[in-house]
Amino acid sequence: CVNPYFYPMRIYPLSEGNFSIDSTKVFIPFDGDIQNRPPGSIIVQVQPFVVVTEKDIILLDTGLGYFNNQGILQIHANLMAIGIDPSSVTKVFLSHLHKDHSGGISYLHPQHQERFISFPYATYYIQKSEYDLALQSKSASYISEQIQILEAFSKVQWLTQEEGVIEDLIHYKITGGHSLYHQVCWIKEQEDILFFGADVAPQLQQMKSRFVAKYDLDGKLAMEWRQKWWEKGQEENWTFAFYHDIKVPTYKAL
């Protein structure tokens, strides 16, 4: 059941399901009891968000880029299920380019085997340093074929500053922690603030405890960021969007 925060922004989680993942970095669909997960694995939700403001439809990360059983790109199907035409998305904000966050940037046509940009009428906002790193990296977390199409796409806004503001609406900041150029964002409209911490703030429980994740590049730094954001969010009544939380997609601090 989706319970978006309606006024003035509407915030919808676009769940792609629960997945088990281990050191191989392979995401395997998982619908069983978490206690019976494969040895050495963790269970995570993969959950982009779409934010509807007065003037924009903003996608926060793009999921795994999988197709559903009907042969439709899952993130397109999820948008259509809540009444949003994928072609109406105006902005796509990428926190980083690990494959579970960037797989839906583009898709390979199942018949023609030609790659297409998934949101051709949107502007993509990506840290240039993160993009360069993704193409050079040999890590299984990155899939260059999914993102290289951006070089030929005219509507890419390459972010080169550590911190900045997009059209007085989206405030972004490089945090590191999970990956070298990982960035987070705040979307502000009227008195409301949505915070998207992506993989530095992926789950509600991690915000509430001193948790150092082994899968982070700098787990201590990520933990310190979470503590700061949790305190600030309580003071300013942020709405938190959790990309990997299997139970709580959004949390409104009161």
Side-chain angles (χ1 to χ4, degrees):
C1 180
V2 173
N3 294 303
Y5 176 49
F6 281 100
Y7 183 82
M9 291 186 287
R10 286 178 289 159
I11 304 161
Y12 298 93
L14 303 174
S15 172
E16 298 192 347
N18 293 340
F19 296 82
S20 68
I21 182 172
D22 58 20
S23 60
T24 66
K25 308 297 184 183
V26 176
F27 285 77
I28 301 173
F30 183 87
D31 60 4
D33 186 339
I34 295 176
Q35 302 303 319
N36 296 324
R37 66 185 183 275
S41 71
I42 60 173
I43 306 301
V44 297
Q45 172 73 229
V46 173
Q47 191 159 247
F49 292 86
V50 65
V51 182
V52 181
T53 69
E54 183 179 358
K55 297 180 180 180
D56 282 288
I57 298 177
I58 306 165
L59 192 63
L60 301 177
D61 287 346
T62 63
L64 281 159
Y66 289 178
F67 282 77
N68 65 15
N69 293 333
Q70 288 73 48
I72 301 173
L73 189 66
Q74 187 64 61
I75 196 165
H76 283 178
N78 288 348
L79 286 166
M80 290 186 287
I82 56 174
I84 295 177
D85 186 331
S87 67
S88 67
V89 173
T90 58
K91 291 178 172 60
V92 179
F93 178 87
L94 277 302
S95 63
H96 62 305
L97 296 175
H98 285 173
K99 60 187 177 183
D100 55 319
H101 293 255
S102 67
I105 282 177
S106 67
Y107 64 94
L108 192 64
H109 194 285
Q111 294 178 330
H112 306 302
Q113 293 300 298
E114 183 178 354
R115 187 163 289 278
F116 294 91
I117 201 84
S118 299
F119 301 95
Y121 302 104
T123 300
Y124 284 67
Y125 296 89
I126 305 163
Q127 281 290 335
K128 185 60 165 60
S129 295
E130 171 69 5
Y131 179 76
D132 292 341
L133 175 64
L135 293 187
Q136 298 166 8
S137 176
K138 298 185 183 302
S139 169
S141 293
Y142 294 108
I143 301 179
S144 60
E145 292 83 0
Q146 294 175 332
I147 64 176
Q148 279 184 303
I149 192 172
L150 294 169
E151 291 185 4
F153 184 53
S154 61
K155 299 189 70 176
V156 177
Q157 182 68 49
W158 298 110
L159 305 177
T160 58
Q161 303 297 317
E162 182 177 330
E163 187 171 3
V165 178
I166 300 167
E167 297 181 6
D168 292 325
L169 177 65
I170 304 172
H171 174 202
Y172 66 87
K173 180 178 178 61
I174 291 179
T175 62
H178 178 69
S179 59
L180 189 58
Y181 299 108
H182 182 285
Q183 62 180 356
V184 302
C185 75
W186 296 259
I187 300 177
K188 301 181 181 181
E189 189 173 52
Q190 296 184 32
E191 300 300 317
D192 287 311
I193 302 173
L194 169 67
F195 173 67
F196 179 56
D199 275 3
V200 177
Q203 297 176 334
L204 175 60
Q205 189 56 43
Q206 291 187 22
M207 306 300 292
K208 296 180 175 182
S209 61
R210 292 181 59 84
F211 175 78
V212 176
K214 294 180 180 179
Y215 48 75
D216 284 333
L217 178 67
D218 187 336
K220 185 174 183 295
L221 175 62
M223 179 186 69
E224 291 170 352
W225 276 122
R226 287 193 293 272
Q227 290 179 311
K228 292 177 182 178
W229 293 328
W230 186 245
E231 293 174 4
K232 190 71 170 177
Q234 300 302 310
E235 294 173 3
E236 299 183 353
N237 305 125
W238 295 357
T239 296
F240 293 84
F242 297 119
Y243 196 87
H244 286 307
D245 201 307
I246 62 176
K247 294 182 179 179
V248 186
T250 60
Y251 177 87
K252 173 67 174 174
L254 298 173

